[in-house]
Amino acid sequence: MALRIIFLFLLTVHNGICFENFKPNIAIIGGGIGGASCSHFLTELFNNNLNIDLYEAKTIGGRLATVEVDNNEFEAGGSIIHPQNKYMQEFVKLLGLEHRPSTDQIASIWNGDEIVFEESRWELLSLSKLIYRYGIQPFSLNRHVASIVSSFENIYHLQDTGNAYTNISSLLSAMNIKFPQLLETSIKTELLNLGYSEKVIDEIVKTSLVVNYGQDTNVHSFVGFVSLAGVGSHLWSVKGGNKKVPEHLIYRNKYVNVVPSRVIKIVNIPTNSSRSLYEVHYHNEDSKIIMKAMYDVVILATPLTHDQPYPITFEGFPKNDFYNLEKYHETIATFVEGDLKPHYFGLQEELDVILSCDPNKTIISSLGRLNSVEGTMKNSKVWKVFSNEPLNSATVNDMFTNVQKMKQVAWKAYPEYSTRADEAQFKLHNALYHVNAIEWTASAMEMSAIGGRNVALLVHKDFSKKFCCTEDVQKVTPSSEL
């Protein structure tokens, strides 16, 4: 933290000279955690000397959302945060929010035929059962994942000292020179090469991927290790809902103007100087009248894949198609208020959490008893079921009895991971950036915050080169005069 304060102080002094006659006009498209964190870090870096218009077509928070069941709110999107997620921890403290620790729940692994592993309320018994089925490899795997996390944490020091990266390979290499190789090897191949058994990989590792990403062990190794890191203890969420973090980062920032509209086109406007100008075309849902606004910088904080509901057209760029040829994975979250039928899962009594290691056979990816975002419920009868396809009422009634309510939420949750993805770029054009490029390494709240800060650092660095190192900086027309 001390390093960041010193770094920001030096930038403040520098910015006072560089930007006193030029206030950058910035558009951020997307109001999820990536766009929100980017707006926060930009405001720090430019010492409040900027204008930000943040466009959001739907709801601030993006994939961080809640759903109401029987007058209680429950997490519908990203629901858990790792204790070592530095930025999420700092945001919660900065915004005066509170932690909601995860509750102790008894989990099991189900393959569709039987429960292959079941925790006990007694920790020693759980450890004994773990060793009996898998030997000591889970402990070795845990140490290996911890070493990956340790290298990953290098990014915080790197960003505190002002380092920024134009693509995901350079960002990963800065953390650990071997990390980019993890994008080219599946997690199953990586772990087999390290000597782990098929049973450990096909049950423990696969379960974590099915639960966290709805995918199999053919995903690349980096996201596989991120998924395993999310299985640890002391996980938490934000009291009142994780969506409060992007909401507060945006609405408490007086330099951010929220534009509740859909962006449909971005046009690159040629200039006779080093300055970039982009024209953003947008409209809101109530009026289809196309409006336009001019910006020095445009930041995309939304996925660039063809399967997204609000595609953006690019015009006037050397390359007008910035879209990734891959796609995002659709996950269905079904909220059920009722009583679990243990016998359906081969159980004698009700458990809190049932995790699938074979969703093709089990139909579901996971099932868990929920606590409200306020953490006030005891003996909750509300369950969240993740699946890759919508559940019909017959399937729900097979799993539950006394069903009072059922709600389904479908969302493009995270990328479809493989070992073949093209290099994702944070910088798309002179002053056009993409926060969500980081999701092709792994999708998580902290990853989006890291991506947001990386783009903010890139913007600041590029802007400084253009307007702090030229003799004609005084001649540049402020964006407010456009």
Side-chain angles (χ1 to χ4, degrees):
M1 180 64 80
L3 268 175
R4 187 189 299 183
I5 292 170
I6 294 169
F7 176 60
L8 289 174
F9 173 75
L10 291 173
L11 286 173
T12 299
V13 174
H14 192 51
N15 290 354
I17 299 170
C18 295
F19 307 140
E20 62 181 359
N21 292 318
F22 192 93
K23 183 179 288 190
N25 205 25
I26 300 173
I28 297 178
I29 301 166
I33 185 62
S37 59
C38 191
S39 69
H40 166 75
F41 290 122
L42 281 168
T43 306
E44 278 190 339
L45 288 163
F46 281 91
N47 191 31
N48 303 332
N49 194 46
L50 77 174
N51 295 313
I52 298 175
D53 284 342
L54 188 143
Y55 293 85
E56 174 53 58
K58 299 176 86 173
T59 306
I60 294 297
R63 282 169 278 169
L64 300 185
T66 59
V67 64
E68 185 177 308
V69 179
D70 198 21
N71 297 319
N72 286 292
E73 281 191 84
F74 302 92
E75 293 285 4
S79 57
I80 59 169
I81 303 170
H82 195 276
Q84 290 171 258
N85 285 173
K86 182 172 181 280
Y87 291 149
M88 291 302 293
Q89 294 275 19
E90 289 184 357
F91 289 155
V92 167
K93 184 177 180 180
L94 172 71
L95 299 168
L97 300 173
E98 297 180 45
H99 283 212
R100 180 173 67 86
S102 60
T103 55
D104 292 330
Q105 294 186 315
I106 306 303
S108 63
I109 299 175
W110 181 44
N111 67 7
D113 294 322
E114 61 179 339
I115 298 293
V116 298
F117 177 75
E118 180 182 336
E119 288 184 324
S120 167
R121 298 192 183 278
W122 291 276
E123 187 175 352
L124 284 177
L125 182 55
S126 292
L127 288 173
S128 299
K129 293 165 90 173
L130 191 70
I131 293 170
Y132 178 78
R133 184 163 184 85
Y134 304 109
I136 63 170
Q137 284 197 349
F139 305 98
S140 169
L141 181 58
N142 186 58
R143 288 194 296 273
H144 187 68
V145 172
S147 71
I148 298 285
V149 171
S150 179
S151 290
F152 174 84
E153 289 177 330
N154 289 332
I155 192 60
Y156 299 121
H157 171 73
L158 290 164
Q159 291 192 325
D160 280 349
T161 51
N163 289 280
Y165 309 93
T166 59
N167 56 54
I168 59 173
S169 290
S170 59
L171 182 140
L172 291 178
S173 294
M175 299 179 196
N176 184 314
I177 195 67
K178 295 181 180 179
F179 274 4
Q181 299 170 21
L182 297 178
L183 302 179
E184 301 171 358
T185 308
S186 74
I187 187 65
K188 183 161 189 172
T189 300
E190 178 76 9
L191 292 178
L192 284 173
N193 290 340
L194 290 172
Y196 290 94
S197 70
E198 294 264 3
K199 183 181 286 188
V200 166
I201 296 169
D202 291 343
E203 291 182 7
I204 294 177
V205 179
K206 187 173 178 179
T207 297
S208 82
L209 283 161
V210 169
V211 171
N212 290 322
Y213 293 105
Q215 294 167 65
D216 208 331
T217 52
N218 58 349
V219 303
H220 65 68
S221 298
F222 191 87
V223 73
F225 287 126
V226 169
S227 180
L228 286 167
V231 177
S233 57
H234 307 297
L235 303 173
W236 59 282
S237 55
V238 178
K239 189 173 182 180
N242 294 328
K243 67 180 183 180
K244 285 188 172 293
V245 173
E247 285 178 350
H248 286 243
L249 284 175
I250 290 169
Y251 288 125
R252 289 189 183 185
N253 189 337
K254 65 181 181 179
Y255 302 97
V256 174
N257 170 49
V258 176
V259 184
S261 298
R262 174 190 165 190
V263 171
I264 57 173
K265 185 189 290 187
I266 300 171
V267 182
N268 177 34
I269 306 297
T271 66
N272 294 323
S273 66
S274 61
R275 178 181 176 187
S276 296
L277 282 178
Y278 299 117
E279 188 177 69
V280 171
H281 297 209
Y282 63 99
H283 68 75
N284 58 42
E285 291 305 311
D286 297 328
S287 171
K288 297 300 181 180
I289 298 173
I290 306 299
M291 292 171 280
K292 303 174 184 180
M294 215 58 113
Y295 297 95
D296 309 297
V297 175
V298 172
I299 297 167
L300 299 161
T302 185
L304 282 179
T305 53
H306 291 286
D307 59 351
Q308 296 300 315
Y310 300 121
I312 299 171
T313 300
F314 297 90
E315 188 177 294
F317 294 89
K319 172 191 172 185
N320 285 321
D321 185 4
F322 296 109
Y323 280 82
N324 193 310
L325 295 177
E326 305 295 329
K327 63 180 182 178
Y328 268 55
H329 185 90
E330 183 170 80
T331 289
I332 313 296
T334 304
F335 296 83
V336 179
E337 184 180 8
D339 297 313
L340 191 69
K341 291 181 179 178
H343 293 289
Y344 177 87
F345 305 95
L347 295 166
Q348 296 300 312
E349 59 183 23
E350 194 177 83
L351 288 182
D352 299 315
V353 180
I354 297 170
L355 310 175
S356 170
C357 63
D358 188 356
N360 292 326
K361 182 177 284 187
T362 62
I363 302 175
I364 67 170
S365 299
S366 66
L367 178 155
R369 189 195 305 273
L370 293 183
N371 198 349
S372 74
V373 295
E374 298 295 336
T376 55
M377 299 181 70
K378 292 183 179 180
N379 301 317
S380 169
K381 290 192 175 184
V382 179
W383 304 77
K384 179 163 65 174
V385 185
F386 278 127
S387 59
N388 289 329
E389 300 290 340
L391 300 180
N392 57 41
S393 56
T395 301
V396 171
N397 287 326
D398 285 342
M399 298 179 182
F400 297 91
T401 187
N402 300 322
V403 175
Q404 302 298 310
K405 288 185 176 65
M406 186 178 94
K407 288 187 177 181
Q408 289 194 341
V409 178
W411 46 302
K412 298 286 186 182
Y414 18 70
E416 286 276 6
Y417 292 106
S418 70
T419 58
R420 307 179 306 276
D422 294 334
E423 177 75 280
Q425 303 288 333
F426 290 107
K427 185 173 180 178
L428 303 177
H429 189 248
N430 296 336
L432 178 68
Y433 306 87
H434 187 214
V435 171
N436 292 62
I438 200 165
E439 286 198 273
W440 295 99
T441 63
S443 181
M445 284 175 265
E446 188 74 358
M447 297 302 291
S448 292
I450 289 169
R453 192 174 188 201
N454 182 64
V455 166
L457 287 162
L458 274 175
V459 170
H460 184 266
K461 180 180 290 187
D462 290 346
F463 206 81
S464 298
K465 286 179 182 177
K466 290 177 184 177
F467 299 108
C468 296
C469 302
T470 59
E471 295 180 358
D472 61 344
V473 64
Q474 303 293 334
K475 300 177 184 178
V476 177
T477 305
S479 58
S480 59
E481 294 179 21
L482 290 175

